[in-house]
Amino acid sequence: MQNSLILASGSPRRRELLSLMGITYQICPADVDEHMNGAPDEVVMALSRRKALAVAERHSGCTVLGADTLVACRGEIMGKPQDQQDAMRMLMLLSGGENNVYTGVTVIDGKTGRVDTRCDQTRVHFVPITPEAAQRYIDSGEPMDKAGAYGAQGMGGMFVSAIEGSPSNVIGLPIHLVRQMLMEIGWQL
């Protein structure tokens, strides 16, 4: 019998993806400092681990899933935009090029306490974006809570010309990796 799963995130996108897997879970967003420097893969793994550990402290015996997603483009790491001007800057940087989406995933086994942290990377290609199109997108409000100022699963998908790798990773949770990690600790999926 598997124990309860706690999702250490308030992200509606992560909740949707986890629900698609048919997993029953509880939500307990982690309140941790998310400021960190380093290589994108190292940052997302460290932050996913930080989130999972913070929640695991409050939920002994439960399996905890933490995740963090960043976008990297032309040497810049992009989290969520600070304001509309920052969103415009990000979208113009992404325009006509490619970016890499990194998601760190941490699973803490509620039975053994084992902590497993991994990273998934997906390359996303963008069409050229005019400043006018970017502003209309920003005015929709969609990019304001998304790493890299775009949501490939929503209106932002109109800027994406190709995805190399996991589409669910671009949305915020690589479900193939989550499945593998949970199965390795005995979950039946």
Side-chain angles (χ1 to χ4, degrees):
M1 171 105 182
Q2 54 201 33
N3 56 359
S4 299
L5 179 69
I6 308 288
L7 175 61
S9 173
S11 165
R13 291 158 299 283
R14 289 192 182 115
R15 291 194 308 254
E16 289 170 15
L17 289 166
L18 205 52
S19 293
L20 287 174
M21 295 175 69
I23 296 174
T24 302
Y25 60 93
Q26 297 174 342
I27 300 162
C28 183
D31 183 22
V32 299
D33 178 13
E34 295 190 37
H35 295 90
M36 191 171 192
N37 295 317
D41 58 337
E42 294 170 359
V43 169
V44 294
M45 287 193 298
L47 290 175
S48 73
R49 186 181 184 96
R50 187 180 292 174
K51 291 174 182 182
L53 288 169
V55 171
E57 286 179 8
R58 299 187 310 246
H59 296 278
S60 178
C62 294
T63 297
V64 177
L65 171 64
D68 192 76
T69 302
L70 292 174
V71 173
C73 180
R74 300 178 190 175
E76 180 180 336
I77 296 177
M78 301 177 186
K80 297 174 185 174
Q82 296 176 352
D83 53 30
Q84 288 194 359
Q85 183 178 349
D86 194 31
M88 176 64 79
R89 183 190 62 74
M90 289 181 185
L91 290 168
M92 292 296 93
L93 187 64
L94 297 168
S95 176
E98 59 185 47
N99 62 85
N100 291 299
V101 178
Y102 297 85
T103 300
V105 177
T106 296
V107 171
I108 300 177
D109 185 342
K111 295 175 191 166
T112 66
R114 177 178 168 254
V115 179
D116 184 10
T117 302
R118 303 182 195 178
C119 181
D120 197 47
Q121 176 185 347
T122 304
R123 181 163 292 171
V124 181
H125 298 267
F126 263 54
V127 299
I129 307 169
T130 65
E132 296 79 18
Q135 189 58 57
R136 283 192 300 275
Y137 180 51
I138 292 166
D139 290 344
S140 77
E142 183 181 274
M144 300 314 295
D145 70 339
K146 308 219 177 8
Y150 74 92
Q153 75 282 8
M155 289 175 57
M158 68 183 160
F159 302 132
V160 175
S161 61
I163 295 177
E164 298 175 47
S166 168
S168 67
N169 182 48
V170 179
I171 299 170
L173 190 66
I175 57 177
H176 69 282
L177 182 60
V178 170
R179 178 181 181 272
Q180 178 183 348
M181 292 169 78
L182 289 174
M183 289 180 67
E184 287 175 10
I185 62 169
W187 282 64
Q188 301 298 313
L189 301 173

